[in-house]
Amino acid sequence: MNEPGLTTTWARRADKPRTAAPGPRTAGPDTPAPDGTRPDCSPTPRERLARAARRHGPVLALYGTTKLVGFCVFLCLLDSSGDFRRKNPRFGGGAHVWDVLATWDGWWYQQIAAHGYHPALVPVPGATGLITLEGNSAAFFPLYPALMRLVSSCTGLGLLGAGLVVSVAASFVAALGIHAVTARVSGRRAGLAAAGLWAVWPGSGVEWSGYSESLYVALAAWACYAVMRRYWLTAGLLTCFAGLTRPTATALIAALALAALVEVVRHRRRVRRWGDGPAPEGAWRRDAVLRPVAAVLIAPVGLVGYLGWVGHRMSDYGGYFTLQDKAWAHSFDYGRHTVKVLSSLMVGHYDYLFAYPHEDVIAAATVLLALLALPLLFRLRPPLVLTVSTLLTMALVLGSQQIFGNVSRYLLPAFPLLIPCATAMRRLSTPVLCAVLTVAALASGSYAGYVLFEVGIP
């Protein structure tokens, strides 16, 4: 039984408000967070913009500056030589230096944007050699010319200007994607270096031209990033669009499918380990399987749909491959042509198909660089989607008969090869990194631009 005096004293103490002990000041509802945002509400659009600028600004600035240096050197070399003025406007010529940027394949893309497709297998009269069919626009995939036409209609630019706008914008998106992927593997500093290396890769001369490489790499890089973050539906849609851009998407589709299969198998193993213990909700468990499966089903729609449409219009469902073989002498030969070119270059002979000595030497150096970078990439143990897409892209490129000098640009989608070098360069200080990339950019105006467009065939 409690004493009355003690009970009264306790009641009085309970009625008094308690005063918190003095301590370090905590953030109140109006106190800004260290990044400048208020914790009691979502960031304003201005704050989001400032945050995005701090995060992506250095990447865009480094890539844009490095690329601009090489691009200006390329244009100066074109103007000083003047050879383009004596060439056919369709084959590396034109009245102005910028006309060269939309020749060769760029001419075909402009024809598609202006007139659409007319798929057909038209024999060359009396031809019995390697080329027996007339070239047809159906060999070029539709997403890039569709965007050219859209930009032209919205801005009033001509098809040349619209194509350059699409390529330049896509190249910056690709730089951000390469940075994001590399940062997941080796850190943000390595991602910054990788974005700079993307600007000076031997095939980078087509990044700011009327070609579809920048658009494809942008889609592929972000698709790989989406797979790494397990955003499966996003990855499937991006891969679908990549399949409407270039046939190289075959490698990306296979890489996504394998990554999705591994994810489903891992999920099933986790389910078995849960046993009788508490497991996640059923909806989450279904999504963990259905989303990867849906991505695998969506990914090939673009590529298969376009090839099927072309085949239907040609009344030959293998018509696309027939056109590539008989009109452009481009076919998969399991690497025989590549071996022939490399073995000939070693002894200074140029007796192989489509020989362009200066361009082929740069392409051979690019192949050797890629083969050296491959084991270094494996050593970093990157995510499966990067490994598979890189291996299959290299297999498709090196296993095909084609103009060998184009290998440098065909390997642009194998951007994970930049990661080992970027990982080593992350230790460089910012001034040293900028100096190295500036020197490479100055040289890239020649080896990645002028040689590709004027000394060979891009």
Side-chain angles (χ1 to χ4, degrees):
M1 182 174 176
N2 293 330
E3 298 181 13
L6 293 176
T7 304
T8 304
T9 302
W10 173 253
R12 289 174 181 172
R13 288 179 181 175
D15 292 337
K16 292 182 179 180
R18 296 184 180 180
T19 303
R25 183 181 178 183
T26 58
D30 297 325
T31 304
D35 62 353
T37 60
R38 295 183 299 278
D40 62 329
C41 62
S42 60
T44 64
R46 190 172 183 177
E47 291 168 344
R48 290 196 190 98
L49 183 61
R51 186 183 303 172
R54 289 192 298 268
R55 182 179 182 84
H56 303 303
V59 180
L60 298 176
L62 179 65
Y63 171 76
T65 304
T66 306
K67 186 63 195 169
L68 184 61
V69 170
F71 187 70
C72 290
V73 171
F74 171 38
L75 296 184
C76 289
L77 291 175
L78 281 174
D79 186 62
S80 62
S81 70
D83 293 341
F84 71 96
R85 297 186 180 94
R86 296 185 292 273
K87 294 184 177 180
N88 189 312
R90 181 176 167 184
F91 304 115
H96 308 91
V97 289
W98 53 82
D99 293 332
V100 176
L101 301 173
T103 56
W104 302 107
D105 288 4
W107 181 87
W108 283 104
Y109 284 123
Q110 290 185 70
Q111 297 303 304
I112 297 169
H115 309 295
Y117 286 102
H118 303 283
L121 299 174
V122 181
V124 176
T128 57
L130 192 64
I131 305 297
T132 58
L133 294 177
E134 294 182 1
N136 188 279
S137 59
F140 300 89
F141 279 52
L143 184 58
Y144 178 68
L147 292 176
M148 286 175 62
R149 184 161 185 169
L150 177 63
V151 171
S152 178
S153 300
C154 294
T155 63
L157 290 171
L159 292 176
L160 169 58
L164 294 180
V165 167
V166 173
S167 293
V168 172
S171 73
F172 280 96
V173 176
L176 289 175
I178 291 170
H179 170 267
V181 169
T182 306
R184 296 280 298 180
V185 177
S186 298
R188 292 180 57 80
R189 185 75 180 177
L192 185 65
L197 292 173
W198 155 246
V200 298
W201 178 262
S204 60
V206 299
E207 290 173 11
W208 287 9
S209 69
Y211 280 60
S212 62
E213 268 76 9
S214 289
L215 178 60
Y216 176 79
V217 175
L219 293 168
W222 284 108
C224 290
Y225 180 77
V227 171
M228 294 164 68
R229 296 295 303 273
R230 293 182 174 82
Y231 301 150
W232 291 107
L233 296 182
T234 301
L237 287 172
L238 290 172
T239 304
C240 177
F241 286 123
L244 290 170
T245 308
R246 295 194 64 80
T248 318
T250 305
L252 184 62
I253 293 169
L256 183 147
L258 187 57
L261 175 62
V262 170
E263 177 67 15
V264 170
V265 171
R266 286 176 179 172
H267 174 73
R268 291 179 64 86
R269 288 177 179 174
R270 286 195 296 267
V271 170
R272 291 195 189 99
R273 284 200 300 269
W274 286 326
D276 298 329
E281 297 180 359
W284 183 90
R285 292 175 61 180
R286 287 193 299 272
D287 286 349
V289 174
L290 293 179
R291 288 178 182 271
V293 172
V296 172
L297 296 177
I298 294 170
V301 170
L303 178 67
V304 174
Y306 178 70
L307 294 180
W309 176 80
V310 169
H312 175 72
R313 291 287 300 272
M314 290 181 173
S315 300
D316 178 2
Y317 282 98
Y320 174 84
F321 303 100
T322 303
L323 183 66
Q324 287 279 21
D325 184 17
K326 302 301 182 182
W328 274 275
H330 191 162
S331 61
F332 193 79
D333 67 348
Y334 299 94
R336 287 191 295 271
H337 178 64
T338 300
V339 172
K340 171 68 174 174
V341 173
L342 294 176
S343 60
S344 298
L345 288 175
M346 288 180 183
V347 294
H349 294 173
Y350 306 101
D351 54 351
Y352 50 87
L353 190 64
F354 304 128
Y356 296 93
H358 290 84
E359 186 184 29
D360 294 343
V361 168
I362 292 174
T366 304
V367 171
L368 294 177
L369 181 64
L371 294 176
L372 288 172
L374 198 58
L376 299 177
L377 177 64
F378 293 160
R379 185 172 178 269
L380 296 174
R381 297 185 178 181
L384 183 64
V385 65
L386 299 183
T387 303
V388 175
S389 65
T390 303
L391 281 173
L392 292 182
T393 298
M394 293 181 64
L396 289 173
V397 173
L398 301 182
S400 298
Q401 174 186 280
Q402 59 200 343
I403 298 176
F404 184 77
N406 286 345
V407 164
S408 60
R409 75 175 178 95
Y410 290 155
L411 285 177
L412 281 171
F415 63 88
L417 294 173
L418 302 174
I419 296 177
C421 186
T423 302
M425 293 175 67
R426 67 184 175 182
R427 300 170 185 171
L428 301 177
S429 64
T430 300
V432 174
L433 177 63
C434 292
V436 170
L437 291 176
T438 299
V439 173
L442 291 170
S444 71
S446 174
Y447 70 75
Y450 186 81
V451 171
L452 194 65
F453 277 88
E454 290 294 293
V455 182
I457 297 180

